[in-house]
């Protein structure tokens, strides 16, 4: 029987995720059904469980009742974006349906790149130089003679050796950093050592880091794990980078440190998104802010599409999956 694949992705989203080669590969997998939606999200058919073998989702998939996934035919759902939680509750696992997080690997490298970019920008005072120089057009006011810091000389602390955390560790080590430590209760010392990373406790990490880069998922265990007590352990003028999830931090505690000028931060995620226009984070020279775009590169998006196709090909060939979401790892993939 020819596999039937339903693509619940809007036109704009689809064009960014699936290049011409990916679309050709998709066509070879079976019968493809993708409703044209110039604007808005795509609805998952209520008959998806009985009419299709594979469901592909992304950011532009309209939330649906997970009960529609139950049926005689549907056996695989592959998410083209990051976390599957918005669409697939943990109860959706099982009942012969397998779920894969197809887009995460491709995005992880892009997110790490942004985290490294923020780290370098803050170490070299780029935000301060640009804002002062642009507004004053004065060589002196722009900060001539002000010295930055070398990344190679920094003590780098990673909160989680997740996919992103591992890429970030590789990148900063490639830039010369040798003092790289991490807190991750799921990683072993041997695994960390293979990456040139030393494991330690969270409090010790904060107390010994010049740069604290947060790469942990949002789970019940990680909720507000970086709060006022942990931030207080950081040295004056330390840098905090968060391209992961705002829920991992106590955002008000971070804002307090930013207001005081004691710490510098690079943030891509916030507890309320979009970040309200009256947020006190705005307008501060010690805060580098981006609007949740860390994973957004052209190459990452197309990589996500190809990763989804790879997963479907593996599943249809021998039933294996590279990035399967299970009840055991569901909470750690937030």
């Amino acid at each position: 029987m020819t596999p039937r694949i339903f693509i619940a992705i809007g036109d704009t989203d689809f064009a960014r995720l699936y290049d011409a080669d990916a679309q050709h590969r998709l066509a070879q997998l079976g019968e493809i059904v993708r409703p044209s939606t110039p604007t808005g999200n795509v609805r998952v058919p209520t008959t998806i469980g009985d009419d299709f073998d594979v469901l592909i989702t992304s950011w532009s998939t309209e939330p649906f009742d997970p009960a529609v996934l139950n049926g005689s035919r549907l056996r695989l759902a592959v998410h083209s974006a990051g976390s599957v939680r918005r669409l697939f509750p943990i109860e959706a696992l099982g009942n012969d349906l397998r779920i894969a997080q197809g887009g995460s690997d491709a995005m992880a490298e892009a997110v790490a790149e942004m985290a490294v970019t923020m780290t370098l920008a803050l170490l070299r005072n780029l935000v301060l130089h640009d804002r002062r120089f642009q507004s004053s057009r004065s060589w002196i006011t722009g900060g001539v003679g002000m010295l930055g810091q070398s990344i190679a000389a920094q003590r780098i602390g990673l909160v989680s050796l997740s996919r992103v955390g591992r890429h970030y560790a590789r990148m900063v080590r490639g830039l010369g950093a040798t003092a790289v430590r991490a807190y991750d209760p799921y990683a072993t010392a041997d695994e960390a050592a293979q990456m040139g990373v030393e494991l330690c406790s969270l409090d010790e990490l904060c107390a010994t880091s010049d740069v604290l880069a947060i790469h942990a998922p949002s789970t019940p265990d990680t909720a507000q794990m970086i709060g006022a007590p942990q931030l207080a352990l950081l040295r004056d003028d330390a840098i905090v980078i968060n391209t992961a999830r705002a829920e991992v931090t106590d955002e008000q505690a971070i804002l307090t440190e930013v207001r005081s000028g004691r710490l510098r931060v690079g943030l891509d995620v916030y507890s309320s998104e979009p970040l309200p226009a009256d947020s006190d984070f705005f307008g501060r020279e010690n805060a580098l802010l981006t609007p949740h775009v860390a994973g957004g590169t052209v190459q990452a998006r197309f990589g996500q599409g190809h990763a989804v196709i790879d997963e479907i090909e593996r599943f249809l060939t021998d039933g294996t999956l590279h990035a399967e979401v299970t009840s055991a790892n569901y909470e750690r993939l937030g």
Side-chain angles (χ1 to χ4, degrees), residues 29-94:
L29 295 176
E31 179 187 347
I32 305 299
V33 177
R34 185 179 73 84
S36 178
T37 52
T39 60
N41 294 339
V42 177
R43 292 183 177 180
V44 173
T46 57
T47 58
I48 187 78
D50 292 317
D51 293 348
F52 291 88
D53 300 282
V54 179
L55 168 65
I56 302 178
T57 59
S58 187
W59 295 285
S60 55
T61 304
E62 188 170 302
F64 52 85
D65 181 352
V68 305
L69 302 173
N70 300 325
S72 60
R73 190 162 182 175
L74 187 67
R75 292 296 175 264
L76 176 65
V78 188
H79 194 49
S80 303
S83 174
V84 302
R85 292 186 189 178
R86 183 180 70 89
L87 297 177
F88 301 94
I90 193 169
E91 292 77 19
L93 300 173

Side-chain angles (χ1 to χ4, degrees), residues 82-205:
S83 174
V84 302
R85 292 186 189 178
R86 183 180 70 89
L87 297 177
F88 301 94
I90 193 169
E91 292 77 19
L93 300 173
N95 297 321
D96 295 324
L97 174 67
R98 297 172 71 184
I99 299 174
Q101 200 178 28
S104 291
D105 278 344
M107 278 198 298
E109 189 165 13
V111 175
E113 283 180 352
M114 178 66 88
V116 172
T117 300
M118 286 181 159
T119 303
L120 289 168
L122 289 165
L123 286 171
R124 295 303 306 273
N125 301 314
L126 291 188
V127 176
L128 186 150
H129 285 307
D130 178 70
R131 292 180 188 175
R132 290 185 183 180
F133 198 21
Q134 293 268 19
S135 62
S136 69
R137 305 192 182 192
S138 164
W139 204 249
I140 302 300
T141 305
V144 65
M146 179 182 293
L147 298 180
Q149 295 282 338
S150 164
I151 193 170
Q154 307 307 303
R155 298 171 299 171
I156 307 292
L158 288 74
V159 181
S160 177
L161 286 173
S162 59
R163 294 184 184 100
V164 178
R166 292 171 187 235
H167 281 299
Y168 182 89
R170 171 180 58 83
M171 291 175 187
V172 295
R173 284 185 53 78
L175 289 169
T178 57
V180 184
R181 306 179 87 190
Y183 167 72
D184 190 325
Y186 299 102
T188 67
D190 286 343
E191 288 173 338
Q194 289 175 12
M195 294 177 266
V197 177
E198 178 187 356
L199 293 179
C200 63
S201 70
L202 181 59
D203 283 356
E204 185 179 356
L205 187 74

